[in-house]
Structure formats: structure tokens, C-alpha cells
Amino acid sequence: MASEVNRPASGRTGMAAQHRTDITFGEYLMEIANIAIAAGLDKDRAQDLAVALGKVADALRDMAADLVGDHNIATEVVDQITDLADAAARMKQLAERCATECEIASEAARLAALSVGRTYGEDIQAMDDAGLAHASAAAHHD
């Protein structure tokens, strides 16, 4: 399918409906930029969560260590607190992994925007140089 360039002077009219896209180049760039930003913010939140979970795990381990010698506390309670500390530590690892994946997603979206922008920018320049309002899809050239 052909893509229509998002130019101030042109709308989506002037091209047959079957050749129009649902999104303009400018809209695509905004969407992919928003994805990159959102993934970066998610990375920051996941990192903050990992830090908080580490503190929770440490506090629970300290609590379990304090209670282990107390004869008024059942060993089952201490075991449950230790289990909670272990669970918090596992959640911390998952949050760290999430942060890493979000960072990768953010960078991938940024690179995709740059790559598409560069390639599509060349197409736009070629259209401008040729005086064309629209580019035709490769399928029309076979």
C-alpha cells in the first residue's frame, strides 16, 4: 500500500481510498516516540520497585533473625516471614529483569523511529524532487 506524507498543505483526499493508510508518517513518529518514552518511564518505575522490594526483603530477614531466638514466637511464624523475604527477593529480581527489558524496548523504539524516519525521509525527498504528491507502492511496479 502507498503511504501518504503528512504535509501541512495536504489532507488524505486526492488519493483513492484503497491506497490511503490509516496513519500518516507524522502520526507514526509521534506514536513510536511515545512508546519509547513510556518504556523509559516503565524502566524507571521497575528500578524503583526493585529497590523497594530489596528493602522489604532485608527488613523481613532482619525481623526473622530477631524473632528466631524468641521462645514466644512459633517457628512456623519465623518460617513464614522468611518465606515472605524470599518472595520479595524473587520479585526484586523480576522487577530488575522488567527494567532491563523496558530499557531494551525503549531503545528499540528509538532506533526504529530513527531508521524509519531516515528511510521515509529519503522517500519524501525523492517525491519532492520529482514533484509528486504521493508515492506508489512497490506492488504497482511489478
Side-chain angles (χ1 to χ4, degrees):
M1 283 243 155
S3 295
E4 184 165 338
V5 178
N6 187 14
R7 295 183 183 176
S10 70
R12 292 188 184 164
T13 59
M15 183 182 282
Q18 73 266 25
H19 296 294
R20 286 184 243 153
T21 60
D22 292 333
I23 187 170
T24 65
F25 178 60
E27 291 168 340
Y28 164 79
L29 287 179
M30 285 300 289
E31 287 294 321
I32 199 82
N34 287 338
I35 289 168
I37 291 166
L41 293 172
D42 289 342
K43 176 198 76 129
D44 293 342
R45 283 189 217 115
Q47 286 175 330
D48 292 344
L49 179 59
V51 169
L53 286 165
K55 290 177 183 178
V56 168
D58 291 343
L60 288 168
R61 288 194 198 292
D62 290 345
M63 182 186 298
D66 287 346
L67 295 175
V68 81
D70 191 329
H71 297 290
N72 292 328
I73 303 295
T75 57
E76 293 83 16
V77 171
V78 175
D79 291 343
Q80 289 176 343
I81 293 171
T82 302
D83 290 345
L84 285 173
D86 293 344
R90 286 190 302 275
M91 287 188 285
K92 176 186 174 189
Q93 289 174 334
L94 291 173
E96 289 169 341
R97 188 168 124 201
C98 180
T100 299
E101 296 298 326
C102 287
E103 184 175 22
I104 292 168
S106 178
E107 182 63 11
R110 188 186 71 78
L111 290 174
L114 288 173
S115 178
V116 169
R118 185 179 311 112
T119 300
Y120 205 80
E122 292 170 2
D123 291 346
I124 291 169
Q125 186 61 50
M127 285 173 23
D128 287 345
D129 292 347
L132 300 173
H134 308 288
S136 61
H140 294 293
H141 302 282
D142 292 337

